[in-house]
Amino acid sequence: MRAIRIEEFGGPEVLQLADLPVPEAAEGQVLIRVGRAGMNYADTHQRENDYLAKYELPIVPGGEVAGVREDTGERVVAMCGLGGYAEYAVAPETLTFPIPDGVDDETALALLVQGLTAWHLYRTCGRVAEGESVVVHAAAGGVGSLAVQLGKPMGAGRVIATASTEEKRELALELGADVAIDADPDGMKERLEEANGGAKVDVVFEMAGGEVFEQSLAALAPFGRLVTYGIASRRPNEISTGSLMRRSRAVVGFWLMHAVGRPDMIDEALADLFARVQRGELRAHVGATYPLSEAAQAQVDIAERRTTGKVVLDPSA
């Protein structure tokens, strides 16, 4: 089968097309003929081995796939951990989910990791109360484009989006944001408060780290929550307990992998997301589909913020 293999950690050039044996499903696993492989910003960290999980070489990257189970012929979407950038992948049966009628592979992939993340930002970590203001950073991205749409249905009052270009800000408004502002960290605190009618904000979903994190924290109202779920800037932050106490602020971290193995955190949320899509209340914005051979370019485009929404690979192309 055709697959992307990494034999040394580094830049995009380490993503090499290779001819590998079809993997065999062990007990408790299923073999999937991959129709589409999902890509996430975290994949760029995986390539450099500087993310929360560490890897041993060689690896086939890619943590999520949509396709057909070889044993049953059922259309499924699955978290495979590794091995997704390929024509075939194996995944734990417990993390393999049927794709409902009327939902395409790209949408299923968007909902699996990024949709579940957006859902838990609201319900589990942000615990957004009715009418609270919510800031969604990177609002045109995979998680952000879904989080913007979930805002009002999940009780948010004012949804404030940030994005780096006018085109991305227009997309955020189209998806349901009340206002969309420039994502430049310089002066972000003031812009967030202005976008909220001069008031500090209640909840922020933040995935950049660095100065964006600091500016967002400064814009939080008393009892506000900042939920951090990424470090795209590769600049981690430190927090003093005194700064949290002085304004009764909370900082919450979220990594979806801690929900894996807890069906109560995956099954209900994913079923809810699928149902919203089937009712026409939620749509996955698929920004780009790349051939498998262009996986390196796809990661460059993601890292340089050229993409919007969900980005996927087509193993057959």
Side-chain angles (χ1 to χ4, degrees):
M1 68 170 187
R2 297 166 70 244
I4 296 295
R5 180 167 59 183
I6 297 176
E7 296 185 346
E8 61 178 320
F9 295 116
E13 70 280 355
V14 305
L15 297 168
Q16 295 293 317
L17 190 64
D19 188 15
L20 302 178
V22 174
E24 295 184 6
E27 185 176 353
Q29 294 182 323
V30 297
L31 178 63
I32 299 168
R33 185 169 72 255
V34 179
R36 293 289 187 273
M39 304 191 76
N40 297 296
Y41 192 91
D43 293 2
T44 66
H45 289 282
Q46 187 181 71
R47 185 192 73 225
E48 298 178 357
N49 204 29
D50 66 353
Y51 201 47
L52 301 176
K54 299 301 180 182
Y55 302 96
E56 294 184 4
L57 297 171
I59 61 172
V60 174
E64 56 182 19
V65 297
V68 177
R69 282 182 63 152
E70 284 290 280
D71 55 351
T72 66
E74 182 179 31
R75 291 182 63 235
V76 294
V77 63
M79 297 182 191
C80 53
L82 285 171
Y85 290 12
E87 292 182 306
Y88 289 87
V90 294
E93 189 160 20
T94 55
L95 297 177
T96 300
F97 308 94
I99 300 176
D101 292 340
V103 178
D104 58 33
D105 285 357
E106 291 87 351
T107 296
L109 282 169
L111 297 183
L112 185 62
V113 171
Q114 292 159 320
L116 285 172
T117 295
W119 195 96
H120 282 293
L121 293 180
Y122 279 98
R123 289 288 188 254
T124 304
C125 298
R127 302 194 179 187
V128 176
E130 193 71 28
E132 287 191 311
S133 55
V134 173
V135 175
V136 179
H137 286 304
V143 174
S145 61
L146 294 167
V148 165
Q149 295 177 73
L150 289 172
K152 296 300 173 67
M154 289 195 163
R158 189 163 181 80
V159 177
I160 301 166
T162 77
S164 58
T165 68
E166 185 61 36
E167 181 183 13
K168 290 181 178 181
R169 291 190 286 273
E170 288 176 2
L171 174 61
L173 293 171
E174 177 190 333
L175 293 174
D178 292 296
V179 61
I181 65 172
D182 193 339
D184 186 347
D186 188 27
M188 177 176 284
K189 170 186 175 292
E190 289 74 22
R191 292 197 304 280
L192 289 175
E193 293 176 6
E194 181 182 0
N196 199 37
K200 290 188 177 295
V201 299
D202 296 310
V203 182
V204 178
F205 301 147
E206 195 279 325
M207 39 56 68
E211 187 61 22
V212 173
F213 179 98
E214 300 295 346
Q215 293 280 320
S216 299
L217 187 61
L220 274 187
F223 303 106
R225 286 86 69 203
L226 188 158
V227 185
T228 180
Y229 65 99
I231 318 173
S233 69
R234 288 173 164 77
R235 292 177 55 204
N237 298 79
E238 294 184 358
I239 308 165
S240 73
T241 53
S243 71
L244 298 180
M245 292 172 61
R246 276 192 292 273
R247 199 170 291 148
S248 297
R249 300 175 294 188
V251 175
V252 183
F254 179 71
W255 187 30
L256 182 64
M257 292 305 102
H258 287 133
V260 171
R262 298 182 60 174
D264 58 313
M265 297 189 72
I266 299 293
D267 296 354
E268 177 188 349
L270 189 58
D272 179 45
L273 291 166
F274 278 138
R276 292 176 188 273
V277 168
Q278 289 178 303
R279 293 194 300 264
E281 300 171 2
L282 180 68
R283 70 177 176 91
H285 175 74
V286 180
T289 301
Y290 292 81
L292 184 65
S293 59
E294 294 183 16
Q297 185 60 54
Q299 285 203 5
V300 169
D301 291 346
I302 290 172
E304 296 185 358
R305 299 195 292 183
R306 298 174 187 158
T307 63
T308 58
K310 186 61 183 174
V311 177
V312 298
L313 289 176
D314 180 356
S316 66

